[in-house]
Amino acid sequence: MPHRLVRIDRDDPEPGPLEEAAWVLRRGGLVAFPTETVYGLGADATSTAAVERIYRAKGRPPSNPLIVHADGVDLVRRCVDDWPEQAERLADAFWPGPLTLVLPRSRIIPDIVTAGRSTVGVRVPEPTVARRLIAAAGVPLAAPSANRSTGISPTTAAHVAGDLGDAVDLVLDGGPTTIGLESTVVDICTGEPRLLRPGPITARELEGVLGGVPVGLVGPDGGDGPQLSPGRMPVHYAPRTRSIRIERTGRLAEIDGLATSALIVVGPHDPPPILAGVRLVHLPEPTLAARRLYATLHECDGLGVSRIVVLMPPDLPEWQAIRDRLRRATVPWGSSSAE
Ligand code: TXA
Ligand code: MG
């Protein structure tokens, strides 16, 4: 169990727990806190020693940079060296909210946060509790998702406590997160915005605010390779149970051992035939699917089933972020690693 788990009101946070958490952060400790996307594992982003503890707690490769969280644009602007018009527009439209902007970093952000890069990912999270915590600590917070590296991201305080245990000093429990999928990450360093991680805010929405400037997806799905955003590794967000994916209901018939599996149907598929023994979860619609996805994977991982089978949602823009996470959590049925 973690050192301490404290309940806190997400929208109207009590001063006592906030002050305690800020005190832990100022002393270089780790505090897990709710954002609208997933729980973050926060540390003082200006302290190399504090941020080192994040990498250790997560078992995260030092080559994977962290997102810096601020309570508003003023603090963001102290973390970056440039604030182009595109940043202003996107911040106006989407902050506080699930959007991370990659920009040239300023001198207050040490190398360890950015894995030595000249750029930093910054965002302003939506929940009042997250922004008040940053204000009370008086520093920006480096905060990756509060799970062990490559595991399933946490959407509840119980997920954090179960996964990180004593490695975190304090967990603020503000209830389940409302969106459930990590922020959209977009690099706007060059004037040609690049989508590094699909998320709750779609490329179309970004393009709308940028006056039609195209926002192209890069990385494993875009062809530029994973080096641009190292967090987009092929295996990520993965349950411990062997997890496979199929694209069509018809393929269910080919899967042996289905009776001892859990089946997660994502998207508006016709209900699959009743299958004796199979634990079935249906997430028909994108907003609900995002909110429930990681909790469902956590639950299925705890069932002791032989396999988790995911029936994938359609390849449509509103499902892009969920398809991205599911491709990292599973292997395709029929590939040698799925047997
Ligand atoms: O919703 C979120 O973004 C959550 C909450 C806690 O805010 N945080 C999160 O952090 O998902 P993490 O560390 O699990 O993912 C950070 C992603 C990684 O894919 C990382 O490679 C990318 O952001 N990233 C961070 N800084 C970057 C940079 N300077 N250049 C390119 N990619 C960067
Ligand atoms: Mg993560």
Side-chain angles (χ1 to χ4, degrees), residues 262-321:
L263 174 61
I264 308 175
V265 176
V266 189
H269 299 278
D270 291 334
I274 307 287
L275 303 155
V278 179
R279 325 278 187 114
L280 175 72
V281 182
H282 191 191
L283 304 172
E285 173 279 319
T287 306
L288 169 81
R291 193 181 306 138
R292 292 289 311 151
L293 184 68
Y294 290 136
T296 301
L297 290 173
H298 275 284
E299 280 153 23
C300 290
D301 214 11
L303 289 174
V305 292
S306 62
R307 250 204 232 103
I308 297 172
V309 179
V310 176
L311 178 52
M312 293 287 277
D315 194 0
L316 295 172
E318 65 268 30
W319 291 102
Q320 184 185 34

Side-chain angles (χ1 to χ4, degrees), residues 48 87 118 145 152 196 234 256 315:
T48 296
S118 58
S145 52
I152 307 168
L196 300 183
D256 48 59
D315 194 0

Side-chain angles (χ1 to χ4, degrees), residues 58 60 144-145 147 153 182 197 236-237:
K58 282 183 63 88
R60 182 174 176 112
S145 52
N147 55 284
S153 297
E182 296 85 350
R197 179 173 70 182
H236 211 99
Y237 317 104

